[in-house]
Amino acid sequence: MTNPIAWSTGKLRFFRRPFHEYTLTERVALSQMPLFVTTLLTAFLIWAFFPTTMGNPLFVTFLVSQIAIMALCYLVPWNRLPYTSFLVIPLLDFVSIALGREGGQESLTGISLLAVFPVIWLCASGYYPRAALWLSFLGPLAIIWVPLLVRGALTGQDLARSLLLPVMMLGIGVSVSVLTLSMMRQQRELEEKDAQLQDNLRISQRQESLLNTVLDTVHLGVLAVDADGHDVLMNRKQRTNHELARPKDIADPNESQLLVFGPDRKTLVPVEDRPVRRAVLGETFTDYLVWLGSGSDQRAFVTTARAMKDTDGKFAGSVIAFSDVTDLVNALTAKDDFVSSVSHEFRTPLTSILGYVEILLGDEPEESQRGMLEIVRRNSERLLTLVSDLLSSRNGQLIVTPHAVDVAELVRASVSSAIPRAAASGVVLSAETPDRLEAHVDGPRISQVLDNLVSNAIKYSPDGGNVLVSLAQKDGQLACRVSDTGMGMTAEDASEVFAKFFRTSNVRRTAIPGVGLGLPISKAIVEAHGGTIGVESSLGEGTTFTFHVPV
């Protein structure tokens, strides 16, 4: 129920809470209260200045009826009756005011103006608006006309004089109705917006709960920071990581005090190079390795950062992910140590074999024996070169000695030596080269690259096919392309093909022999020449390796 007085007297101190929060009985009583209080003030004025009027039965009936109506507001169980039944109260007020006017108008004029209270109540209730407007006119009119009709002294002048009050009350009723309807529309809009906000809040809370659950479930540390570097979000795993990097004697360290070390596990990373600081500065990076903590608890983390943008495209912060790769880093270190150890162990007997072969060749053996010794020496030298390459790739170094070489001849020699193996595999091997193409390169190393690529092309064409080796010169670059029509590989495998010991899943299933070192070594040789090597492949359609080196 809309209260006619609530919005006009809402600032009174006795309204300690919003009107709609009161019970229906309290709202009915509060709506009647202004008229009741005004009636008491009227009674006081009459008693003080016109005591004889207090003996008028009509005026006394007016006072008693107001008390009775006020009592009804509290005693009637309005919540059990039809909701608009409380509108009977302003109708009773019209009757009561009519009695008061007849009993007291000779003493105190203007009692009929009390009709403004039930008019406001009816029009502000929002129920039956047309009937309320009619009553706002007819009610005050009846207060004046009914007594005139009862007395039988009705004249045209009396009727004309009595129209001002009903018309004025009608105007008030229209104004109140317009305001009430406007307020009701606003209230409905606010309620709809409130419902929408509540729905959005529930959706946001569910999404927040889901996000927190996901972040606490994944085995990654996730940290979100705003543009000023303040933490916005940190999941449970990242809180553990932060605690690992915290010095034991500092309860709340800043970024410069955290234990963040470089790959050597001993040198503290400068503040400006630390993942969080780089992210706050708006950098985007992937797989940046750092070590957190110290001593036996130290752990390796690969960090990745992505910047966040606001609706205007401005930097609003970053999200940093911390992935624990300690076991992987330790495994790679152990593997490199194993390769280095085995390579050193191979080098000693190979050197000894080559030494004795040289001695035997120096004794001028028979031609048949010389041929076998040459084979032993050539393969021992090749194996020793492979061992040296293993050591070089492990240390990240590979030494080349460039000199003038006819690369076209190197290509033809590599293809010629591989023809028997290609024929055994049903592969048609061919070369397209100029008659001569000189370049300043390390001949044996480039031959090693060619042998690796041609060998792989034949090996990974188990069902036969074609292998083409082409050589050309363009823009001061030597370009060599080795193409096959073999099994090919996926884009994901192609992106990892130059990693040490990597072998594609398809190759592992077909049990084709290999250790995954030929391509990494070839890449190292090409890059040592200042060149590049790349691969294009489609699963089931073949592969093309292309390397470029400066002429």
Side-chain angles (χ1 to χ4, degrees):
M1 181 188 69
T2 305
N3 176 25
I5 307 301
W7 55 268
S8 60
T9 59
K11 295 183 180 180
L12 295 178
R13 291 185 178 181
F14 57 81
F15 285 105
R16 299 297 184 183
R17 49 181 170 162
F19 185 76
H20 67 274
E21 293 184 2
Y22 288 93
T23 64
L24 181 57
T25 297
E26 291 173 335
R27 281 180 281 166
V28 171
L30 287 173
S31 298
Q32 179 64 18
M33 189 65 69
L35 176 58
F36 181 70
V37 172
T38 305
T39 300
L40 294 180
L41 292 175
T42 302
F44 175 76
L45 292 174
I46 294 294
W47 173 79
F49 299 100
F50 311 99
T52 56
T53 304
M54 294 299 293
N56 189 308
L58 293 177
F59 189 79
V60 172
T61 303
F62 162 64
L63 297 179
V64 173
S65 65
Q66 282 298 307
I67 295 173
I69 292 172
M70 194 68 215
L72 287 175
C73 293
Y74 282 104
L75 297 177
V76 174
W78 301 107
N79 56 333
R80 298 180 185 178
L81 301 175
Y83 188 73
T84 56
S85 59
F86 57 82
L87 294 178
V88 73
I89 296 297
L91 298 179
L92 293 175
D93 284 335
F94 281 128
V95 177
S96 176
I97 292 169
L99 295 174
R101 177 179 180 277
E102 285 302 306
Q105 67 176 343
E106 294 181 357
S107 302
L108 192 65
T109 60
I111 293 180
S112 56
L113 290 175
L114 295 177
V116 72
F117 293 107
V119 166
I120 292 176
W121 188 344
L122 287 170
C123 293
S125 68
Y127 300 105
Y128 318 112
R130 292 185 179 180
L133 290 177
W134 278 107
L135 287 171
S136 66
F137 176 76
L138 296 177
L141 186 64
I143 291 175
I144 300 172
W145 277 16
V146 169
L148 294 177
L149 293 173
V150 171
R151 289 196 295 267
L154 187 62
T155 65
Q157 291 180 342
D158 292 334
L159 292 176
R161 282 197 299 266
S162 62
L163 285 177
L164 180 59
L165 178 64
V167 170
M168 182 179 69
M169 293 299 174
L170 177 61
I172 293 174
V174 170
S175 300
V176 172
S177 295
V178 171
L179 290 174
T180 299
L181 292 175
S182 176
M183 292 176 63
M184 291 178 68
R185 283 195 297 269
Q186 292 178 359
Q187 182 177 358
R188 282 194 296 269
E189 291 175 358
L190 289 174
E191 289 174 351
E192 292 174 358
K193 290 181 180 179
D194 181 67
Q196 185 177 1
L197 288 174
Q198 292 296 332
D199 290 339
N200 292 339
L201 177 61
R202 284 191 292 271
I203 293 173
S204 297
Q205 289 174 337
R206 285 197 299 269
Q207 291 177 340
E208 181 182 9
S209 176
L210 175 61
L211 176 62
N212 290 333
T213 302
V214 170
L215 290 177
D216 287 338
T217 301
V218 298
H219 196 64
L220 289 174
V222 179
L223 172 65
V225 294
D226 60 20
D228 296 324
H230 300 127
D231 293 349
V232 176
L233 181 147
M234 182 185 295
N235 70 344
R236 181 166 47 197
K237 178 64 177 176
Q238 184 55 24
R239 286 193 288 271
T240 303
N241 298 340
H242 184 78
E243 184 64 22
L244 176 66
R246 181 180 66 85
K248 304 305 180 185
D249 56 342
I250 302 177
D252 186 18
N254 55 39
E255 181 65 30
S256 63
Q257 295 171 320
L258 293 175
L259 302 177
V260 182
F261 297 93
D264 63 358
R265 307 176 64 169
K266 297 177 181 178
T267 305
L268 285 170
V269 177
V271 175
E272 62 275 10
D273 292 335
R274 297 188 177 191
V276 176
R277 184 59 182 169
R278 290 177 61 187
V280 171
L281 294 176
E283 288 190 45
T284 295
F285 54 87
T286 302
D287 295 340
Y288 179 53
L289 179 66
V290 293
W291 288 81
L292 301 184
S294 60
S296 60
D297 296 330
Q298 195 175 49
R299 306 290 293 178
F301 290 88
V302 165
T303 61
T304 300
R306 293 293 181 270
M308 298 185 293
K309 305 290 185 181
D310 59 17
T311 54
D312 296 328
K314 296 180 180 178
F315 176 70
S318 289
V319 177
I320 311 101
F322 291 74
S323 178
D324 191 333
V325 293
T326 307
D327 295 338
L328 176 61
V329 171
N330 289 338
L332 290 174
T333 302
K335 182 182 69 174
D336 286 344
D337 291 342
F338 172 76
V339 170
S340 178
S341 177
V342 170
S343 299
H344 279 294
E345 293 298 326
F346 280 169
R347 175 173 283 183
T348 300
L350 284 173
T351 303
S352 178
I353 290 172
L354 283 171
Y356 281 107
V357 167
E358 292 293 340
I359 293 174
L360 292 174
L361 288 172
D363 290 340
E364 299 182 356
E366 297 179 3
E367 191 64 29
S368 60
Q369 293 175 338
R370 174 177 291 277
M372 289 185 288
L373 289 172
E374 289 289 349
I375 292 173
V376 172
R377 182 174 67 177
R378 184 169 61 252
N379 285 283
S380 296
E381 288 175 345
R382 184 164 184 170
L383 185 57
L384 185 60
T385 300
L386 178 60
V387 170
S388 299
D389 290 341
L390 281 172
L391 289 172
S392 299
S393 63
R394 193 264 179 188
N395 296 326
Q397 299 175 347
L398 202 151
I399 299 174
V400 295
T401 307
H403 54 278
V405 177
D406 183 3
V407 182
E409 181 60 32
L410 295 181
V411 172
R412 288 191 288 268
S414 178
V415 170
S416 297
S417 63
I419 284 179
R421 189 160 21 123
S425 300
V427 173
V428 178
L429 177 61
S430 58
E432 292 181 356
T433 66
D435 293 337
R436 185 175 182 82
L437 200 166
E438 284 196 2
H440 205 65
V441 296
D442 188 325
R445 291 295 190 183
I446 294 298
S447 293
Q448 186 178 354
V449 173
L450 290 167
D451 289 344
N452 277 332
L453 296 181
V454 172
S455 174
N456 281 348
I458 296 171
K459 182 165 53 175
Y460 298 127
S461 301
D463 300 323
N466 298 294
V467 174
L468 174 64
V469 184
S470 60
L471 179 68
Q473 179 180 346
K474 184 178 180 182
D475 299 330
Q477 291 275 327
L478 181 152
C480 185
R481 181 188 300 265
V482 180
S483 302
D484 66 66
T485 58
M487 63 176 58
M489 67 187 93
T490 64
E492 183 179 359
D493 285 340
S495 65
E496 300 287 339
V497 77
F498 292 107
K500 287 186 290 185
F501 304 104
F502 175 79
R503 307 190 73 218
T504 69
S505 55
N506 196 26
V507 168
R508 292 195 298 270
R509 284 195 299 270
T510 55
I512 296 176
V515 295
L517 280 174
L519 290 176
I521 291 173
S522 297
K523 183 174 186 290
I525 292 172
V526 171
E527 290 180 347
H529 281 82
T532 59
I533 186 170
V535 60
E536 297 177 0
S537 184
S538 297
L539 190 62
E541 298 181 7
T543 303
T544 298
F545 283 92
T546 305
F547 69 87
H548 299 80
V549 293
V551 174

